[in-house]
Amino acid sequence: MEELDTEPPVTVVPGADPARTQLCFEARGPSCVFVVRRDQDIYMETLRKLFNESHGIFVGLQRCEEERAVRARNAQLIQVSKNYRSVIRACMEDMHQAAISARDSALHSQYSIQVSILSAMELIWNLCEILFVEAAPAGPLLLRLLDWVQLHICDVDNMVREVLSSENPSKHKLFWNVVDIFVLQGRMDEARHLLSKEAIANPTSMNMYKILDDLMKKMPVPSVGNTQTLTEMELKWQHWHEECQRYLQDGTFASSSHMESICKILLGDENAILEKKELMTTWYHFLVTRLLYSHPTVKPMELRFYAQSSMDMFLGEESSPEPLDTILMAAFEFELHQVIKECSVALSNWWFVAHLTDLLDHCKLLQSHNLYFGSNMREFLLLEYASGLFSHHSLWQLGVDYFDHCPEYGRVYLELHIERIPLNTEQKALKVLRICEQRQMHEQVRSICKIMAMKALRNNRLGSALSWSIRAKDAAFATLISDRFLKDYCERGRFSDLDLIDNLGPSMLLSDRLTFLGKYREFHRLYGEKRFSEAARLLLMLMTAHIAPCSFWMTLLTDALPLLEQKEVRMLNNHADGLSTKGVQFLLVLLF
Amino acid sequence: MFVARSIAADHRDLIHDVSFDFHGRRMATCSSDQSVKVWDKSENGDWHCTASWKTHSGSVWRVTWAHPEFGQVLASCSFDRTAAVWEEIVGESNDKLRGQSHWVKRTTLVDSRTSVTDVKFAPKHMGLMLATCSADGVVRIYEAPDVMNLSQWSLQHEISCKLSCSCISWNPSSSRAHSPMIAVGSDDNSPNILAKVQIYEYNENTRKYAKAEALMTVTDPVHDIAFAPNLGRSFHILAVATKDVRIFTLKPLRKELTSSGGLTKFEIHIVAQFDNHNSQVWRVSWNITGTVLASSGDDGCVRLWKANYMDNWKCTGILKGNGSPVNGSSQQGIFNTSLGSANASLQNSLNGSSASRKQS
C-alpha cells in the first residue's frame, strides 16, 4: 500500500525462528519451506460483485462520449458517481447478510468489518461527489450536506422507530431525543409533527408550542430551484434569526427546558448544539448542524474553517482523529491529493482510490492541481489495482480492461501479466489467446501457443501439439511434429489425428514437412477411395517436389509399387513424365 | 495482509535455494543433502512433492527453471563442480495416479574446476542458453542449439571475472536496443576495494562478452543480484544483496564507436540503499513487473520494497518469524530466503537453512 513515513506492517510467520542467527554446524532437524502469499482470498471472493459491477461502470466511463455542454457533462459524471455508490451499497447489503448468516464468530466479525469499511468508503465517496464531482455551490451545498448526514448517521434510526411506533410517543422517555435529532438534522416537518403530539397531550404548553412551531415552519432554507438568490435568502434568514432571538430573550420558552434548548439550537448556539453530542455521534454531523443554523449559505471554500473548528470542539481533549476523520477533513479542505493519499494508506485495497481517482481525473480535477504527476497518479493506481486482479483465477479478465485504459504502461503490464496466467485448460488458453490476438500481442500469442504445443508434445498428444504450433505459426515446431506423425505412421502403419490432418487447409503451407504430411495423407485417402490415377499423380508430385524427407523416399517408392499394378496408372506411364515400372525398379535396386 | 503456510520439506540437510516456475504453480528446492525436490500446487492450493532425487555428489547450491516454451526443464549447480540440466519425463499412468513424476538428467556441465555457485537460464528470446559461475571466478555460457535435444550443449563463452563469483543475473530485456547482458556478483572476502559487481555485455562485432561496467561502490561481498523486468524503459534496474539492499539504475549512454566495437557506456545511479536488515542480505528477487523487490537477511526477515509514483523507494512490508517451533521441534539455522516471485501476488518462499556457503 501507498505508505507515508509510518512503519511498514509486520506479518508474523508462525514457526519461523529469526532469533537463532548463529550458524548451526550440526544442521539437523526438520527443514521447512514457508509459502507466503497476500491474504486476498476472502476479501476477493466477497468483493467479487463489487469488482465485477464497478468494472462495467469504469469501462462505460472511459468509452462514453463526452457531452459538450458543461451542465450535461456534469450530470453525466454525477450519474457515474451515483452508480459507483449504489454498487458499494449493494455490496454492503450482501456483506451484511453474509455476516448475519455466518456460522462461526470469526467469519461473522470478518464480514462485519467489511461492512463498516464499505460504509466508510461510501461515506467518503458521497462527500467527494458533493464537493468535487457535483461541486455544489453555496446554497445547494448545505442541502446536499444535510442529505449526506441523514443518509449516513444511522445510529439513531432505532431510537426514532421505537418512539414513533409507540402508543403514546409524547410519553416515551426518548421523545425529546427524537425531536432533537430531527431538529439537528434539519428535518423540520418531522419535528413539528412530533411536537404537535406533545402539544395535544400537554395543553398548558400550547402557547409555547405554537410559537416554536411557527418559527420552525418559517425557517428559510436554500431553495432547490432558482426561486431566490442567495442574497434574498440571507436577508430573510437574518430577519428570522432576529425573531428567534427576541422570543428567547423574552423568556417565552422559559418553562420548558426542552423547547428552550431547541430555540437555542435554531439560533445556532454552539454550546446548546454540543449538549446533544450523543445524538449527533460525529463531528461532521455537528459541522453540518452548525452550518445549518449559523451559516446556511456557506460557500465551498469556507468549509475548511468550520470543519476544523467543529472537529476540535466536538472531539475536545479526550479523543484524537481517526483515519476516517483525517480523510473527511482533507475533503472539506479541498485537498484532493491528500484525500487520495490518506485513503491509500487507510484502506487495504486499491479499489477505492483507483476508481475515485479515475472519476476525479475525468472531472479534470487532478490536472488543475498543477502537479506534474496528476494523470500519472491515476494510471499508477489503476495499474496497482489491475495487477492485483491478475492474481485471481477469474477476476484477471476484468484487469485486462483496466490496463487497456492506461495509456503509458497499460500495454506492457498486460503483456507481462497475461503470459504468467497458468494455462490449466485449453479453454483458458484460448481465452487468453483471444485477448492477446485482439490487441496484436503477437509475441505473447506465439509464446502461449508454443507452451501449449510443448505440453501436448510431452504428453504425446500430437494432434493438439500440431494445431498449437500452427496457431503459433511456428514452422520449425510444425516440422518437428510432422516428423513425429510420419515416424508414427512408419511404426504403426496408420495415422493418428486424421481429422486434423485432413482439414489442414492453407495452414498446411506453414512448413514443407507439414505440407508433405498433409499431401501424403491425401495420397492415402485417394488410394483408399480407389482413385488410383489421382493418387499416382499426387505421389509423383510428392516425389518430384523435393519436400519429402530423405527417410521417407523408401516408403514413397514402396507405395508406388502397388499403384503400378493398377490399370489406370499404367496408362499414365505412356506420358512423358510418367514413372515407368522399370524406372521404379531401377531406383529400388539403387537404394538397396 | 500476508498469510503463511509451512511445508515440511523433508530435506535431510540445509535447503539452499527455492525456485518457482514461470506460472507459479511448481516449485523446486535443493539442499546440502545433494537432492532436488519438485513440488506441485494442487487446485486447492496445497503443495505436494512430486519428485525427489539425488542430483549431485555435493551440496546443491541453486536450482532454476527454464521457460516453459522449452518444456519442463530444470538446471542445478553444486559444490561438486558441476551443473546439470534435467527434464521431466511424462510417466506411466501409474506414476501419474500416485502423483509422482520422473526427471532425467540430460547433461552434465563439467568444465568448472571449483564449486559452481549459480546457474541461470538466459531470457527465452536468446534461445535455450544458460550461464554458470564458479568460485574460481569464471562465468560460462552454454547453448543448446537444438531446443528439442537437451543432451547437446556447447560452451559458447568463458568469461574470467578475476574474483570468486557467487551469483549471476541475466538482463531480461528483449528490446533490440539492448544487447544481451549479464551481471555477476562476487563474494570475495579478502580485504580489497575491488568492485564486487561486474556487468558483461555481448558485443555483436567481436561476438564476445566484454566487461561493460563495474559498480565501484559495491566493495563488500555480494550474495545475490537481480535485474528487474524491463517495462519498456530505456534504462536497466539492478538489485544487489550485500551488506545492505541496494538498487541501481543503469542508463545506456551513446554507444562508443571505437575500434573494439560498440560497447555501451552506462550512467550509474543508486536509487535506494536500505540497511534495515541490519545484517547481511542474502537474496533479492523482483515481482513480474519489477515494481516490488523482496529481500531477505540474516535478521531472519523478508522485506518488501516498492516505489511510489514519485519513484521513491520505501519498505511496504516485513515478514518475520515468531520463533515458535514447527511440529513441536525447534527450527535450526537462520533464514536463507530464496524469493521466487512468479505472479502479481508475490509468493515468497522462506526456508530454514544456513545462509553461508562456506560450509558444504
Side-chain angles (χ1 to χ4, degrees), chain A residues 1-40:
Chain A
M1 268 333 289
E2 186 63 39
E3 49 77 50
L4 300 170
D5 298 308
T6 52
E7 261 299 296
V10 177
T11 304
V12 173
V13 178
D17 189 351
R20 297 167 123 255
T21 57
Q22 288 308 302
L23 253 187
C24 272
F25 286 81
E26 278 117 62
R28 299 284 176 262
S31 55
C32 226
V33 174
F34 294 94
V35 180
V36 182
R37 60 176 301 141
R38 278 201 197 282
D39 184 13
Q40 292 194 122

Side-chain angles (χ1 to χ4, degrees), chain B residues 119-130:
Chain B
V119 61
K120 288 284 187 305
F121 283 100
K124 67 168 155 83
H125 68 266
M126 290 172 64
L128 189 50
M129 203 181 270
L130 60 77

Side-chain angles (χ1 to χ4, degrees), chain A residues 308-460:
Chain A
Q308 190 60 57
S309 54
S310 299
M311 184 159 90
D312 293 337
M313 277 189 254
F314 192 90
L315 293 180
E317 297 294 317
E318 327 96 49
S319 27
S320 48
E322 308 222 316
L324 178 60
D325 299 323
T326 326
I327 294 167
L328 294 172
M329 183 60 72
F332 284 122
E333 289 172 348
F334 282 77
E335 298 285 348
L336 262 175
H337 287 266
Q338 194 66 19
V339 172
I340 295 167
K341 197 173 180 189
E342 300 280 348
C343 287
S344 301
V345 178
L347 293 166
S348 62
N349 71 81
W350 295 104
W351 179 88
F352 184 79
V353 283
H355 289 87
L356 180 62
T357 307
D358 173 64
L359 178 61
L360 295 175
D361 189 63
H362 275 87
C363 298
K364 310 256 192 296
L365 289 172
L366 292 183
Q367 287 119 322
S368 72
H369 274 66
N370 236 4
L371 295 161
Y372 77 97
F373 51 78
S375 64
N376 287 341
M377 181 158 70
R378 168 192 172 271
E379 184 159 316
F380 176 84
L381 295 172
L382 287 174
L383 290 171
E384 289 294 328
Y385 172 66
S387 295
L389 289 175
F390 265 85
S391 63
H392 191 273
H393 64 89
S394 67
L395 288 174
W396 62 268
Q397 294 165 80
L398 302 179
V400 175
D401 289 311
Y402 287 94
F403 283 141
D404 281 344
H405 292 104
C406 291
E408 228 184 303
Y409 285 113
R411 190 186 169 86
V412 66
Y413 264 68
L414 180 57
E415 285 171 358
L416 289 170
H417 279 283
I418 209 156
E419 60 180 9
R420 300 276 187 162
I421 294 173
L423 306 165
N424 320 2
T425 62
E426 283 241 340
Q427 278 161 320
K428 199 165 186 188
L430 289 170
K431 204 184 267 188
V432 172
L433 273 177
R434 216 175 308 130
I435 291 169
C436 293
E437 279 161 355
Q438 279 168 356
R439 288 157 182 78
Q440 280 98 47
M441 291 181 171
H442 302 300
E443 172 51 31
Q444 279 67 32
V445 170
R446 188 207 60 77
S447 184
I448 289 166
C449 290
K450 186 63 187 283
I451 293 171
M452 296 303 286
M454 204 56 175
K455 199 153 98 173
L457 187 64
R458 284 179 64 234
N459 286 295
N460 225 23

Side-chain angles (χ1 to χ4, degrees), chain A residues 105-254:
Chain A
S105 62
L107 208 55
H108 171 88
S109 62
Q110 215 161 34
Y111 282 127
S112 302
I113 292 171
Q114 283 296 342
V115 173
S116 53
I117 292 174
L118 285 166
S119 169
M121 295 203 308
E122 214 256 307
L123 177 76
I124 300 166
W125 194 300
N126 199 344
L127 184 62
C128 289
E129 182 183 304
I130 296 168
L131 298 176
F132 308 132
V133 184
E134 191 181 346
L141 175 61
L142 181 70
L143 295 176
R144 297 281 181 273
L145 288 175
L146 277 170
D147 285 336
W148 178 66
V149 160
Q150 285 171 26
L151 193 60
H152 293 279
I153 314 293
C154 318
D155 295 359
V156 294
D157 281 356
N158 283 339
M159 198 190 308
V160 170
R161 228 174 295 131
E162 209 184 294
V163 169
L164 287 178
S165 55
S166 74
E167 274 210 28
N168 227 334
S170 56
K171 292 280 180 281
H172 199 293
K173 64 176 180 350
L174 296 172
F175 171 78
W176 284 108
N177 281 358
V178 177
V179 176
D180 285 338
I181 286 166
F182 288 149
V183 172
L184 290 166
Q185 292 187 359
R187 292 151 80 173
M188 289 311 186
D189 292 338
E190 292 166 86
R192 287 173 55 216
H193 179 74
L194 263 189
L195 273 177
S196 67
K197 294 199 196 292
E198 156 71 4
I200 293 166
N202 218 345
T204 48
S205 63
M206 185 60 78
N207 222 14
M208 269 194 301
Y209 157 75
K210 278 205 179 128
I211 295 170
L212 187 61
D213 181 72
D214 190 55
L215 284 177
M216 288 165 78
K217 192 164 85 176
K218 282 195 309 196
M219 182 174 107
V221 282
S223 61
V224 182
N226 273 338
T227 55
Q228 62 173 10
T229 65
L230 271 181
T231 338
E232 280 172 12
M233 199 231 132
E234 270 170 7
L235 259 173
K236 277 198 207 158
W237 191 84
Q238 202 53 46
H239 276 296
W240 172 84
H241 190 93
E242 281 159 11
E243 194 180 342
C244 293
Q245 190 78 9
R246 274 199 301 277
Y247 278 117
L248 183 71
Q249 278 165 352
D250 284 346
T252 320
F253 305 108

